[in-house]
Amino acid sequence: VTELPETFGWEETNRIIYLPEGCATTGNNLVIGDVCPHLVLSSEAGDFHPSKPFMATKATYTFTVDGFRMLMLPFAAGIPEGVKAYSVSTDMVVQEVDSVKPHQPILIEAQGEVTFTGEGKVAFGVSSSDNAMRGGYTQRPLYAGDYLLGMQDGKWGLVRQTSANTLLPFGVYAQPASSESFIPFDLSATGIQEITVSPTLQDAPAYNIMGQRVDADYKGIVIVEGKKMIRK
C-alpha cells in the first residue's frame, strides 16, 4: 500500500487498522508492525474485533457508570482513582481486586465517566467457560434464561431475563447452572452499600445497569431519568 493519508478520521469507532513496519501515518488505533502506540476504546464506539493480537504502548477504555456495572476488557489495566473493581466467582462470592486482567469479567463500582488505562498484549477473546460470568467485545443477542446484573429486595446479584435482549460490546452476562429468578452475590468481603429506592418515575423510559432499555416486565434494578429504582 502506498500514499497513505497522514491521519485516519475514524476516532469515533473501535476499529483497528494494521500498517507495515516503519509507516509514518499517525493516529489512534493504528497498529504499526505489531505495536499500537495508543489504543482508544469506548463503550459508545461499537464492536472491537481485531483480526490478530498486538502490543499496545498505551490502551484506554472509557465508559459511563451510575453506581455499578459489569464489563470485560481486552487488555490488563489498573484501577482508576475513585473506582472499585470486584471479581465474581462461580459461587457468586464478590472479592475486591487491585487490577484488571484481560478477558476477565469484573464488577465496577463508580459514578460518572471512567477510563481504565493499561498496556501490553491486546487481543480478541472470550471469558473462561469455567466461569458462570461471560463477556465479549462485540454485540451479541441475549435470550430468556440468561442473567444480568441487578438488585432485588436490597441485595445485588444476577437477575434472570424473561425475554430476549442485546448485550452491548464489552458487556457481561451470566449462564449459571440455575433456573432461579434471582441469584444473590455474597458481598460479605466488600463494602458495597444498598441503594435507596425511589417510588417515582414508574412510567418513564427505563434502562438496566448495562444501559439497555428495558420494558415494563423487566425485574430488578433499573435507571429512570438518572435515578435508580427496583422493580419486583
Side-chain angles (χ1 to χ4, degrees):
V1 178
T2 61
E3 299 181 10
L4 290 168
E6 292 184 359
T7 61
F8 288 92
W10 63 7
E11 286 80 2
E12 301 301 319
T13 76
N14 288 329
R15 296 174 181 171
I16 300 297
I17 186 168
Y18 294 88
L19 299 174
E21 190 77 35
C23 182
T25 303
T26 60
N28 297 331
N29 298 1
L30 303 181
V31 179
I32 312 297
D34 61 357
V35 177
C36 179
H38 195 185
L39 176 67
V40 179
L41 305 174
S42 78
S43 61
E44 306 298 324
D47 290 350
F48 175 68
H49 198 311
S51 60
K52 59 182 179 179
F54 57 89
M55 300 298 293
T57 305
K58 180 180 180 181
T60 62
Y61 174 71
T62 302
F63 65 103
T64 301
V65 57
D66 186 8
F68 297 91
R69 182 169 177 172
M70 294 206 71
L71 60 83
M72 194 173 80
L73 296 180
F75 55 85
I79 308 298
E81 184 177 355
V83 176
K84 290 185 177 182
Y86 308 89
S87 64
V88 181
S89 67
T90 301
D91 55 359
M92 300 300 125
V93 175
V94 175
Q95 183 71 46
E96 187 169 1
V97 296
D98 57 11
S99 63
V100 177
K101 296 180 180 179
H103 319 311
Q104 177 178 293
I106 54 171
L107 174 66
I108 302 300
E109 180 184 8
Q111 194 70 42
E113 185 174 271
V114 175
T115 297
F116 279 88
T117 302
E119 61 182 358
K121 183 179 179 180
V122 180
F124 183 82
V126 295
S127 50
S128 172
S129 59
D130 295 334
N131 197 318
M133 311 302 293
R134 309 285 174 82
Y137 308 125
T138 59
Q139 181 173 293
R140 59 145 292 160
L142 294 177
Y143 303 97
D146 289 337
Y147 287 74
L148 288 174
L149 177 68
M151 176 182 267
Q152 286 189 4
D153 299 325
K155 296 181 178 180
W156 283 96
L158 300 177
V159 179
R160 194 171 192 267
Q161 304 303 290
T162 58
S163 60
N165 206 332
T166 300
L167 185 72
L168 298 179
F170 306 94
V172 172
Y173 71 107
Q175 291 183 324
S178 174
S179 59
E180 296 293 328
S181 61
F182 179 72
I183 305 173
F185 289 155
D186 178 358
L187 304 178
S188 58
T190 73
I192 296 178
Q193 303 296 314
E194 294 183 2
I195 293 177
T196 301
V197 180
S198 171
T200 61
L201 307 175
Q202 295 286 349
D203 297 326
Y207 302 84
N208 63 20
I209 293 296
M210 300 301 296
Q212 303 158 335
R213 186 165 179 172
V214 296
D215 59 26
D217 295 327
Y218 181 85
K219 305 299 182 183
I221 187 169
V222 295
I223 299 172
V224 183
E225 294 188 1
K227 298 183 179 180
K228 291 190 179 72
M229 303 171 58
I230 296 177
R231 287 180 175 172
K232 301 180 180 180

